[in-house]
Amino acid sequence: MQTKMTSDSVTSTLNELILLGELAPGTIISEVGLAKQFGVSRTPVREAIRKLSETGLVTLRPRQRPIVSLPSIAEALDQFEALAMLEADCCELAARRRTSEAMAQINSLNDACHHHFENRDVESYFKVNEEFHRSISEASNNTYLSGRAIQMRQRLRSLRAPRASEPDRMKASYAEHKRIVETVEANDPERARSAMLEHVAMVGERAADFIRSYTKLWEQTDQ
């Protein structure tokens, strides 16, 4: 017999659905629908929604159903700017401190990105892309800084995923990855930082385009 989900497991599952982009920014959240999907009453779903509203992932609206948070363009650009700075710091340190083992892992993941790019497998590319960025952050050998970068990247995942899955973006992303790998392997901190800043900034600009296209969802009222 299947174990009934607890309030905490409902919160964790809903959190993951949002971060993975399966519940896209601007999506109206149905307590009844989620309760049926999870096989629970509305109470743990309501509690999960409340908890996620405190983290900023869900927006509660007076006299309307809650919605997966869709930040303003200004807010999104601020968040991507913060991510770009964090990842650029990590990339700069990686170029100074990376070990041969870390470099081998970075190259391996970049090769995997190339394989998925050649096969136009956008879903697999996006997944390996996440590991590629994590490996760069961890190669900085600064646990606190890499942890912050990885956490921020995960938080912005639902905004990055729709744009990252486009074929033209995948092509540009791989070209940018190559520059990042070359600078880290060459132990060139300044160029490594610049390459990562440019890479993340481009994703942020495309995320802003995504938000513009979904502005009507943010303003949508229940029918």
Side-chain angles (χ1 to χ4, degrees), residues 108-126:
S108 175
L109 289 168
N110 193 47
D111 288 343
C113 282
H114 181 257
H115 171 76
H116 296 312
F117 164 66
E118 290 289 330
N119 288 283
R120 300 296 187 268
D121 186 346
V122 293
E123 183 177 352
S124 295
Y125 184 92
F126 184 73

Side-chain angles (χ1 to χ4, degrees), residues 24-27 56-59 67-73 75-76 79 158-159 207-208 210-219:
T27 300
L57 287 180
V58 171
T59 297
I67 193 171
V68 178
S69 293
L70 180 66
S72 68
I73 293 172
E75 290 170 337
Q79 291 171 4
S158 62
L159 290 179
F210 169 76
I211 292 171
R212 286 188 183 95
S213 70
Y214 277 79
T215 297
K216 289 183 180 179
L217 282 177
W218 178 254
E219 299 169 346

Side-chain angles (χ1 to χ4, degrees), residues 16-80:
E16 188 69 7
L17 289 174
I18 293 173
L19 290 178
L20 290 175
E22 294 184 28
L23 285 177
T27 300
I28 291 174
I29 299 174
S30 168
E31 285 185 12
V32 174
L34 287 177
K36 183 177 180 180
Q37 178 181 342
F38 297 151
V40 297
S41 69
R42 293 175 65 178
T43 300
V45 173
R46 189 177 300 117
E47 178 64 13
I49 291 171
R50 183 192 66 77
K51 288 179 180 178
L52 294 182
S53 72
E54 294 175 352
T55 70
L57 287 180
V58 171
T59 297
L60 303 179
R61 306 182 298 169
R63 297 180 298 280
Q64 297 180 26
R65 286 183 290 177
I67 193 171
V68 178
S69 293
L70 180 66
S72 68
I73 293 172
E75 290 170 337
L77 290 176
D78 281 349
Q79 291 171 4
F80 272 98

Side-chain angles (χ1 to χ4, degrees), residues 110-150:
N110 193 47
D111 288 343
C113 282
H114 181 257
H115 171 76
H116 296 312
F117 164 66
E118 290 289 330
N119 288 283
R120 300 296 187 268
D121 186 346
V122 293
E123 183 177 352
S124 295
Y125 184 92
F126 184 73
K127 290 179 180 178
V128 176
N129 175 67
E130 296 301 283
E131 292 303 311
F132 173 80
H133 278 266
R134 176 184 286 269
S135 70
I136 294 285
S137 294
E138 292 177 343
S140 70
N141 284 308
N142 184 312
T143 304
Y144 178 78
L145 187 60
S146 63
R148 292 290 298 276
I150 292 167

Side-chain angles (χ1 to χ4, degrees), residues 195-207:
M196 183 62 80
L197 278 173
E198 180 180 350
H199 177 54
V200 181
M202 182 60 70
V203 177
E205 289 175 9
R206 287 177 172 251

